[in-house]
Amino acid sequence: MTIVTNQPTAGCEMRVEDDFVRLADPFRPEILAHCYRMLGSIHDAEDLVQETYLRAWRSYGGFEGRASLRTWLYRIATNACLSALEHRARRPLPVALGAPGTDPEGDLSAIPPEITWLQPFPDALLTSGSVGAVGAAGPVGADPASVVAARSGLRLALVAALQYLPPRQRAVLILRDVLGWRAAEAASLLDVTVAAVNSLLKRARARMAEVAPDAEQVAEPTAGRQRAILDRWARAFVEADIDTLMELLTADAIWEMPPQPMWFQGADTLRRLLSFRIGKHGRYRRLVPITANGQPAFAVYSSHSDGRLTAESLQVLTMRGDRIAKVTAFRTPSLVGVAGLPMEIDVESDMENDVENEA
């Protein structure tokens, strides 16, 4: 490993920079996922990853290898996240804010400007390297192990539950229960004692059991069966086939639409909601399947009079067996772009693709 002296030459600086990029970039997906778990925002997570890598690059010449480079990056990222969380409120989802709504045909509630909402994490970012770069070759030297580490502990319910924890408890729970670090490793990273880590973890687990006892208990269908369910869901949504949509939902299913604060639950209410909302937006839409937070998801496009389909929302689905138990429809069109998809689709070419797919 190249070490910068007190009076480095230009060539030495270039070798240090090359070494840093080659060795550190493979860890970028899991550092991005780690910052997202801590912050609940993909945009804030990307900012903190950039800050982490800038700090690490500036200090790399003095990195002596007492810990692994991966551990060193996690230390910088965790401390940056803890600093960022000092004056920030938790990011909720609508279901955490009160009782379900009873008037699905009514006007949408005013968007409360004081609430900063939890955001989804498009899985494509784990291989693209950064927000908006989906489809790129990926980080330099990205290895599958880093991507696997990044994918764990990203489910929407878990990240939402983490928001209830104070920042240091959140960090300890992620390090110990999501990433599987030993107590001594977590203590070293946070500059606290092992006893302090164990105490923080005990309190964090107790709080998680209160707010989300089933956050990670997911019973999903087989891949083939899930694909068939999702295909039916997309087709029924486009065709406004309310009967099929209701057949695919559990009897106690939840529908939420951040940044709208209201949410709805139950078969009767959701039938009224879907009948009113889908009919109001017209028949033709397109749902593009993706994955987000390790869960099935769709980018939703709606048609407009200008002859184009425009991005409307990002649906993240929570499965329970062969049914959909929750739909979180993030009504922030820019999130479709974050997932690396176009914000607009030409209707004519899109219809031609549909004909080809049905042929």
Side-chain angles (χ1 to χ4, degrees):
M1 181 177 298
T2 306
I3 302 296
V4 175
T5 64
N6 290 332
Q7 296 180 326
T9 65
C12 185
E13 286 181 333
M14 291 182 62
R15 287 197 300 274
V16 168
E17 182 174 353
D18 290 344
D19 279 352
F20 177 77
V21 170
R22 176 175 56 84
L23 296 172
D25 267 17
F27 299 110
R28 189 178 288 268
E30 59 179 291
I31 298 299
L32 178 63
H34 179 60
C35 291
Y36 169 74
R37 295 185 196 101
M38 288 288 295
L39 302 169
S41 162
I42 188 57
H43 294 108
D44 289 353
E46 175 72 8
D47 289 344
L48 266 293
V49 170
Q50 297 298 334
E51 182 177 337
T52 294
Y53 273 70
L54 180 59
R55 290 185 188 181
W57 173 73
R58 286 173 173 170
S59 304
Y60 185 65
F63 175 61
E64 298 178 353
R66 294 191 184 96
S68 69
L69 181 62
R70 177 176 183 262
T71 299
W72 187 55
L73 291 171
Y74 268 98
R75 176 190 291 273
I76 298 171
T78 302
N79 287 327
C81 289
L82 290 173
S83 295
L85 288 168
E86 285 180 359
H87 305 292
R88 299 188 191 185
R90 72 180 178 91
R91 288 177 170 267
L93 287 174
V95 73
L97 298 182
T102 58
D103 185 16
E105 296 95 350
D107 293 336
L108 295 177
S109 300
I111 297 173
E114 69 277 9
I115 297 179
T116 306
W117 298 97
L118 185 73
Q119 294 180 335
F121 186 105
D123 287 16
L125 296 180
L126 296 180
T127 53
S128 69
S130 63
V131 171
V134 176
V140 176
D143 61 51
S146 184
V147 175
V148 169
R151 289 188 191 281
S152 63
L154 282 176
R155 296 196 68 84
L156 201 57
L158 176 64
V159 177
L162 287 170
Q163 299 296 302
Y164 285 90
L165 301 180
R168 294 186 79 80
Q169 287 186 26
R170 195 181 306 180
V172 167
L173 187 83
I174 292 170
L175 292 171
R176 295 281 283 116
D177 286 358
V178 176
L179 298 175
W181 288 32
R182 297 190 301 271
E185 293 173 318
S188 176
L189 184 146
L190 294 169
D191 290 323
V192 298
T193 65
V194 170
V197 164
N198 290 335
S199 177
L200 287 166
L201 182 60
K202 181 178 179 180
R203 282 179 281 160
R205 286 172 173 170
R207 182 62 173 145
M208 291 287 282
E210 293 175 359
V211 299
D214 302 321
E216 282 291 81
Q217 296 180 14
V218 181
E220 293 185 334
T222 62
R225 177 60 179 154
Q226 183 179 94
R227 183 72 267 155
I229 294 168
L230 298 177
D231 287 347
R232 289 186 67 200
W233 176 266
R235 182 175 293 276
F237 200 89
V238 167
E239 296 176 353
D241 181 352
I242 307 302
D243 288 337
T244 297
L245 292 174
M246 295 309 304
E247 181 184 335
L248 294 172
L249 291 165
T250 62
D252 61 346
I254 290 172
W255 194 290
E256 56 185 352
M257 303 173 289
Q260 308 295 152
M262 81 284 285
W263 59 283
F264 302 95
Q265 183 173 26
D268 292 341
T269 301
L270 293 195
R271 179 177 285 276
R272 291 168 55 197
L273 174 73
L274 294 173
S275 298
F276 181 71
R277 299 295 172 192
I278 293 180
K280 185 177 181 180
H281 284 281
R283 182 175 183 276
Y284 190 83
R285 290 182 167 193
R286 183 166 182 83
L287 271 64
V288 177
I290 62 170
T291 55
N293 294 85
Q295 300 171 227
F298 288 99
V300 181
Y301 293 82
S302 60
S303 58
H304 294 271
S305 57
D306 62 2
R308 298 188 70 81
L309 296 177
T310 60
E312 178 190 275
S313 60
L314 190 68
Q315 288 184 1
V316 180
L317 310 183
T318 300
M319 306 289 296
R320 187 195 305 155
D322 284 355
R323 296 291 182 270
I324 297 166
K326 186 178 182 183
V327 179
T328 303
F330 293 92
R331 293 171 57 86
T332 303
S334 61
L335 291 172
V336 173
V338 170
L341 297 171
M343 296 300 293
E344 292 187 344
I345 298 175
D346 182 74
V347 175
E348 185 173 338
S349 63
D350 191 60
M351 293 177 68
E352 290 175 357
N353 289 336
D354 286 346
V355 171
E356 291 176 3
N357 292 335
E358 292 175 0

